[in-house]
Amino acid sequence: MRSIAVSVMALIAIMLAGCRPPGHFHTHVLNPLYKHVLDSPATNWIFADLQGNEEEYFIATDNQFGNINSLYVFHPNGKVISQLGMSQKFRGLRSLTDPRNGNRWLFYSFNDQRRVTVTGLKYTWEVPLKREEKLFESIARTDARIDDPSLEWFALVYPEILEDIDGDGKLELVCRMLDGYMANPRGLVVYDFDSGKIKWRFDTSANFSSVLLADHDKDGKKEFILSSQAVMNTSAAINSFDDQSGRVAVLDTSGKILYQEKLFDGYGDIQLTSIDPDQDGRPEIYAIISTWGARNIRNSVIQLKWENGHLRKIKTWALGTYFDRGAQPYQFQDLDGSGTWRLPLVDKGSGLVVLDENLKPVKHGYKDFIKQIWAVEDINQDGVKEILLLTADNNFVVLDHHFRELASLKSPFPGDERTAMQAVKTGFSKPRTIALWSKSQMQYFELKVEPFYKLAFRLLAEYLWVLTLLLAMAMLYACYIIYYNWTMFACFGKEVGLGVVNSTSKGRVRRMNAVAMSVLSPDPDKLTERSLARLHPELARLVKALVKSRENNCETTLELEDESKQKSFRVLAYKQTGLNRGVMLILFPRTYDLDADKAVWADTARRLSHHVRRHITNVILALPRLEDENDGEDKKEFLDIIRDEIEKIRVFTHSFQRFTELKDYDLKAQDIIPSLEHVVARITLPEKITLIKNWKLNSVHAFIEPIRFEEALTNLINNAVEAMPEGGILHVSAKVFPHHTSPKGPLSVLVEIEDSGVGIPAKYMDEIWKPFFTTNQSGTGIGLPESCKIITSMGGEISVQSEEGVGTVVSVWLKGEGDDGH
């Protein structure tokens, strides 16, 4: 009943502890640092490291003075360090690094409604600040409405890659050509970086969403993997691409198309990402398909591999609803640096979805709906990344790499729908700041751990209702325990005559049952006495000694007065912990096991007396011969007999003393092989006996007390040797059986001593375990019982199998390292 109550209460406590109160418990806070206000609303913005010192500047464009458009480079403190103006709008800001010298280039695109041009800026960071400008070959507009001034042309050239793509030793700038409505120009353009001239173009009627460049099939040549977007502006098809469907394609580095495939029809987008989780040098390609419009096309993620001239589909994971268009970075992330890849995505129906590299959903506890995942960065530079996002209710949130909320901040720009969030580099190995901005305002924050006292106070406040319930349950449980102990204490031992006393650590009696009361306070005047020292001083001293010791229990034998008659009681004392901290005394009348003890010890004494009398008789017979002076030549022989018999008596009495010792061994996991080797080497074997050792393992660990284990082993091997007076084979082995169980529980280590001796007659098999039983006149009869006592005291088992005239096998089972939770 008690165990059931405890289990039920523990289960309720766990369930209550698992209940999370409304809201999220945050261990970090977004601490404001500084802010600055833009003179006019920004039209484009990025953060970029333009010096190569891991410090990022805020770069933004605006249209403050009518026909004048400006590009600003802001220091993190808000100071403008560079400004550039022109009449055309700045489009498509991007920063890339020259791999040859580490120079950082800031690219932007502009068009005059007839031609679109991409431009690069490189800053020389000295006083005064110098700026180098590189113009790339323009791309002409070709649509029929070129002369219509009322229609704005949104064309831009967006840089994606700056490297030597074809291995000719020259640097190329790879850009996407993008246009909103005219479908002119769209596709891919590659510039010679140094001359600024176009090397080749791949024109399409659809905008490319993603560009990947790598040697995807390990043939020594790089390939472009491209994906397109379908917005249905035009029905024309160029280079097998149209604006009515989403496609993937593979180009070589000269612009030749190698492969093309349609993945869906209707409105939609394909975003590409790649990782190499198995580190085989062949990146895995993932296509994330998001669609919209009237057609019911399930959104999905497809794992692809480029091989043998085809993009082969490896796996597909389909979403039940739709991805939130443009709400995620579409990139796999190694969040904790362990090579465990995660792809966070925003599902319009269920919120945050996380996939692993095998496209299996990863469980997480984040349930809020998300408007935008802005970035995944290592904010604190501690080796693990955080996720920056904006929720549907306009909270800027930081998640840890387990997708648990670290911090949250209500949007500081109420009513402004155009907001953003970014992790900003502040220098080598320095924690990154978090920038929040709207069209005209920038605010910087640092991610800090909340002080301990605030965490403790908030934890207490949020879980107060749980703590209150747990406290109430604890009080109810305490009342139950007190009631249970009182009722059980009252009846315990009543039927079997056991006395029970519950005492405090200082010897004050809390309660005692009727049996103990009749023994300790038969006098009616003492029934209310609560001092154990007054009731029975020896019991009080026993309690005091146990409390001061490190032992958990002890025992003694006391003469107590039971109903006006002297009676011997065995007293067991146990320490108690918890609500009933103190000492429990149990009084056992010695009559319980006295008759059995008498029978056992009478038999033992009879055997011991028989052996001692036999050896003393031999001494008495030898003494008269020593008194006869004429037998001088035989005196040495009789003196040797006397010495031998006295030594045997000494061995008997010493063995009896060792056999009656009561001792708990300090067991530790030991390698038993050295003990086996030591015992075998110490025993002198007759020439006619062949020893076979069998322990193939380098080490066999068991829980033993080495000295006593070697004593037991010596007894057993000596018995085996004595059983082979005419010679034979002695086989000693040690083996491990991991799944072996016995009545005493798991025992996985087996030591066997096998002889080819005379064997033990079946009628003696029950007698061999009794002390001083032996069929060998020179034996003590204590070796096997003492070995059994040693092995069982170490938690093991010993058994004997024997056949007369064939031999005997003694099996010793010991606890191994993995047995019983060791």
Side-chain angles (χ1 to χ4, degrees):
M1 180 69 182
R2 182 178 180 180
S3 62
I4 294 175
V6 172
S7 300
V8 170
M9 291 188 176
L11 178 61
I12 295 174
I14 293 171
M15 292 173 63
L16 287 175
C19 294
R20 185 165 185 157
H24 300 287
F25 186 79
H26 299 137
T27 58
H28 291 64
V29 63
L30 288 171
N31 186 45
L33 295 175
Y34 43 83
K35 68 178 180 180
H36 61 265
V37 178
L38 303 178
D39 293 334
S40 62
T43 55
N44 291 282
W45 58 76
I46 63 168
F47 281 91
D49 175 14
L50 299 181
Q51 289 197 63
N53 60 355
E54 289 294 302
E55 185 177 15
E56 292 185 320
Y57 295 152
F58 178 55
I59 303 162
T61 65
D62 68 9
N63 182 236
Q64 182 178 1
F65 302 108
N67 293 328
I68 300 299
N69 297 275
S70 299
L71 182 148
Y72 300 94
V73 178
F74 293 93
H75 192 274
N77 62 14
K79 180 182 177 181
V80 176
I81 58 176
S82 176
Q83 180 177 352
L84 178 65
M86 66 177 180
S87 59
Q88 288 82 27
K89 291 181 179 180
F90 292 91
R91 306 174 191 269
L93 300 179
R94 183 71 187 272
S95 176
L96 297 173
T97 302
D98 187 335
R100 301 171 300 183
N101 48 34
N103 288 336
R104 308 301 172 101
W105 286 87
L106 174 63
F107 296 96
Y108 64 87
S109 179
F110 66 91
N111 73 64
D112 59 4
Q113 298 301 302
R114 292 183 174 273
R115 308 180 71 83
V116 61
T117 306
V118 63
T119 303
L121 299 177
K122 181 173 71 71
Y123 291 88
T124 302
W125 300 95
E126 58 185 38
V127 181
L129 182 66
K130 296 181 180 180
R131 183 176 63 223
E132 176 185 338
E133 186 173 271
K134 178 187 286 289
L135 290 174
F136 293 84
E137 184 178 348
S138 299
I139 298 173
R141 179 180 178 183
T142 60
D143 64 275
R145 302 184 65 180
I146 187 172
D147 295 320
D148 185 353
S150 65
L151 184 65
E152 183 176 358
W153 188 42
F154 290 95
L156 63 94
V157 178
Y158 189 74
E160 290 284 355
I161 299 168
L162 182 58
E163 65 175 86
D164 180 5
I165 65 172
D166 50 14
D168 63 354
K170 296 181 180 181
L171 201 62
E172 284 84 28
L173 177 65
V174 181
C175 305
R176 284 186 292 145
M177 299 182 293
L178 304 171
D179 186 16
Y181 299 105
M182 305 299 161
N184 168 246
R186 289 178 177 176
L188 199 69
V189 59
V190 176
Y191 295 93
D192 179 275
F193 181 74
D194 293 325
S195 67
K197 299 295 184 180
I198 295 176
K199 293 188 69 170
W200 56 266
R201 285 172 56 177
F202 184 81
D203 292 288
T204 66
S205 57
N207 285 323
F208 283 135
S209 301
S210 303
V211 180
L212 302 179
L213 176 65
D215 183 2
H216 294 94
D217 55 2
K218 295 186 69 174
D219 65 349
K221 298 177 182 179
K222 295 180 180 179
E223 302 88 22
F224 288 105
I225 311 292
L226 306 165
S227 66
S228 71
Q229 183 184 75
V231 293
M232 306 183 75
N233 293 143
T234 177
S235 59
I238 303 174
N239 281 326
S240 300
F241 278 83
D242 58 59
D243 198 26
Q244 307 292 312
S245 60
R247 298 172 180 266
V248 291
V250 182
L251 304 183
D252 67 12
T253 54
S254 64
K256 178 183 177 182
I257 188 165
L258 304 177
Y259 180 81
Q260 181 267 132
E261 180 181 357
K262 180 171 68 174
L263 297 185
F264 67 86
D265 286 310
Y267 289 100
D269 187 20
I270 304 172
Q271 294 284 340
L272 299 178
T273 182
S274 67
I275 55 173
D276 187 8
D278 53 7
Q279 300 294 311
D280 64 350
R282 298 179 61 185
E284 305 291 339
I285 305 160
Y286 298 84
I288 300 103
I289 300 174
S290 59
T291 63
W292 58 90
R295 299 192 184 187
N296 185 17
I297 300 174
R298 295 185 69 184
N299 289 191
S300 60
V301 182
I302 303 174
Q303 183 180 359
L304 305 168
K305 185 179 285 291
W306 173 247
E307 57 185 10
N308 301 322
H310 287 80
L311 276 174
R312 184 167 63 90
K313 294 181 181 179
I314 307 299
K315 295 176 183 176
T316 299
W317 177 83
L319 185 67
T321 56
Y322 298 91
F323 291 124
D324 198 344
R325 179 185 177 190
Q328 51 256 317
Y330 296 108
Q331 296 292 324
F332 269 97
Q333 300 288 342
D334 182 4
L335 295 176
D336 57 5
S338 65
T340 303
W341 294 94
R342 297 290 183 261
L343 176 63
L345 298 167
V346 179
D347 177 359
K348 284 186 176 182
S350 61
L352 180 64
V353 175
V354 182
L355 303 178
D356 66 11
E357 64 268 25
N358 296 314
L359 299 187
K360 294 182 179 179
V362 177
K363 291 184 179 180
H364 62 83
Y366 191 74
K367 302 301 181 184
D368 288 353
F369 281 92
I370 299 171
K371 183 183 294 185
Q372 178 78 50
I373 298 177
W374 285 112
V376 182
E377 299 286 351
D378 182 1
I379 305 297
N380 294 324
Q381 297 295 289
D382 57 359
V384 296
K385 294 181 179 180
E386 287 76 33
I387 299 99
L388 308 183
L389 56 87
L390 179 66
T391 63
D393 53 356
N394 285 326
N395 284 325
F396 288 102
V397 175
V398 181
L399 305 182
D400 67 9
H401 62 289
H402 294 298
F403 303 97
R404 299 175 300 206
E405 274 198 24
L406 291 178
S408 177
L409 179 69
K410 192 67 179 177
S411 175
F413 318 113
D416 193 342
E417 292 296 324
R418 195 178 180 192
T419 58
M421 187 180 193
Q422 182 65 44
V424 181
K425 297 178 182 178
T426 61
F428 289 104
S429 301
K430 291 183 179 180
R432 300 184 180 186
T433 60
I434 296 176
L436 308 181
W437 71 90
S438 66
K439 292 184 293 184
S440 58
Q441 187 180 148
M442 175 74 64
Q443 295 190 24
Y444 291 89
F445 297 82
E446 63 177 341
L447 184 66
K448 292 188 66 177
V449 178
E450 282 273 46
F452 175 76
Y453 71 92
K454 287 188 178 181
L455 288 176
F457 180 78
R458 191 186 308 143
L459 183 67
L460 180 63
E462 291 200 11
Y463 287 89
L464 183 60
W465 68 282
V466 177
L467 295 175
T468 303
L469 285 175
L470 290 177
L471 180 61
M473 289 175 56
M475 294 178 65
L476 289 174
Y477 180 67
C479 294
Y480 166 77
I481 290 297
I482 293 172
Y483 171 77
Y484 177 86
N485 284 338
W486 272 104
T487 54
M488 291 299 294
F489 196 90
C491 64
F492 180 73
K494 185 175 181 181
E495 298 298 328
V496 293
L498 298 182
V500 185
V501 180
N502 182 227
S503 167
T504 66
S505 300
K506 294 184 178 180
R508 179 174 175 80
V509 176
R510 290 195 184 108
R511 51 193 177 272
M512 53 184 171
N513 69 351
V515 176
M517 195 175 295
S518 67
V519 173
L520 298 179
S521 57
D523 187 351
D525 295 334
K526 290 187 177 182
L527 288 177
T528 58
E529 181 62 61
R530 292 298 176 186
S531 173
L532 192 60
R534 294 180 182 178
L535 288 172
H536 200 286
E538 288 187 59
L539 287 180
R541 286 192 292 270
L542 181 66
V543 169
K544 186 176 180 180
L546 179 60
V547 170
K548 289 184 176 180
S549 73
R550 295 183 179 180
E551 302 295 328
N552 291 320
N553 57 76
C554 64
E555 68 176 288
T556 187
T557 301
L558 298 177
E559 295 297 325
L560 299 172
E561 192 175 279
D562 179 16
E563 298 178 353
S564 303
K565 182 173 67 176
Q566 290 294 111
K567 197 171 186 179
S568 177
F569 279 81
R570 185 161 61 101
V571 182
L572 298 182
Y574 296 91
K575 283 183 181 177
Q576 291 181 292
T577 58
L579 295 174
N580 290 320
R581 185 179 182 84
V583 177
M584 180 73 75
L585 300 168
I586 303 177
L587 313 178
F588 294 85
R590 292 294 293 175
T591 54
Y592 272 41
D593 55 2
L594 184 59
D595 294 336
D597 286 349
K598 282 182 178 180
V600 173
W601 287 107
D603 184 65
T604 302
R606 180 184 60 78
R607 296 176 188 276
L608 176 63
S609 175
H610 169 75
H611 285 288
V612 172
R613 284 202 311 270
R614 175 162 54 87
H615 294 300
I616 290 176
T617 300
N618 291 336
V619 172
I620 293 173
L621 293 175
L623 284 175
R625 303 299 298 271
L626 289 175
E627 294 174 354
D628 188 354
E629 296 181 355
N630 295 326
D631 284 333
E633 293 181 358
D634 297 326
K635 284 184 178 181
K636 185 178 183 304
E637 176 185 351
F638 294 116
L639 284 173
D640 290 338
I641 292 174
I642 292 173
R643 290 191 187 95
D644 184 61
E645 298 300 326
I646 291 174
E647 175 61 19
K648 289 179 179 179
I649 294 173
R650 187 192 68 78
V651 170
F652 267 101
T653 56
H654 177 69
S655 298
F656 182 77
Q657 177 188 356
R658 294 296 296 273
F659 181 78
T660 57
E661 285 180 353
L662 294 174
K663 182 178 179 181
D664 292 327
Y665 300 132
D666 183 17
L667 302 180
K668 295 181 179 178
Q670 307 274 348
D671 184 0
I672 67 171
I673 299 301
S675 294
L676 292 171
E677 293 283 4
H678 182 244
V679 170
V680 170
R682 194 171 55 187
I683 294 177
T684 303
L685 296 176
E687 293 181 358
K688 296 181 180 180
I689 293 179
T690 301
L691 172 64
I692 299 175
K693 298 186 295 182
N694 181 15
W695 39 83
K696 297 181 180 179
L697 299 174
N698 293 329
S699 63
V700 176
H701 286 79
F703 283 84
I704 62 170
E705 201 286 317
I707 295 177
R708 298 311 305 274
F709 174 69
E710 291 185 16
E711 289 178 8
L713 204 60
T714 300
N715 289 337
L716 298 177
I717 293 179
N718 281 333
N719 286 349
V721 171
E722 291 172 3
M724 297 184 287
E726 301 301 324
I729 297 175
L730 174 62
H731 190 181
V732 183
S733 65
K735 301 176 182 177
V736 177
F737 297 86
H739 304 295
H740 176 263
T741 57
S742 72
K744 297 189 70 173
L747 298 173
S748 62
V749 177
L750 173 63
V751 178
E752 284 189 328
I753 297 93
E754 180 179 358
D755 65 67
S756 59
V758 297
I760 302 172
K763 64 180 180 178
Y764 293 142
M765 288 301 293
D766 292 333
E767 299 290 323
I768 60 176
W769 303 107
K770 295 180 180 180
F772 305 109
F773 172 82
T774 180
T775 58
N776 184 353
Q777 290 298 315
S778 63
T780 64
I782 199 70
L784 188 57
E786 184 180 22
S787 298
C788 180
K789 180 172 178 288
I790 292 172
I791 297 302
T792 55
S793 297
M794 292 190 294
E797 285 185 350
I798 185 170
S799 62
V800 176
Q801 292 178 310
S802 184
E803 185 175 350
E804 193 172 4
V806 177
T808 302
V809 179
V810 181
S811 301
V812 177
W813 288 95
L814 301 169
K815 285 187 178 181
E817 285 187 294
D819 299 336
D820 287 338
H822 289 291

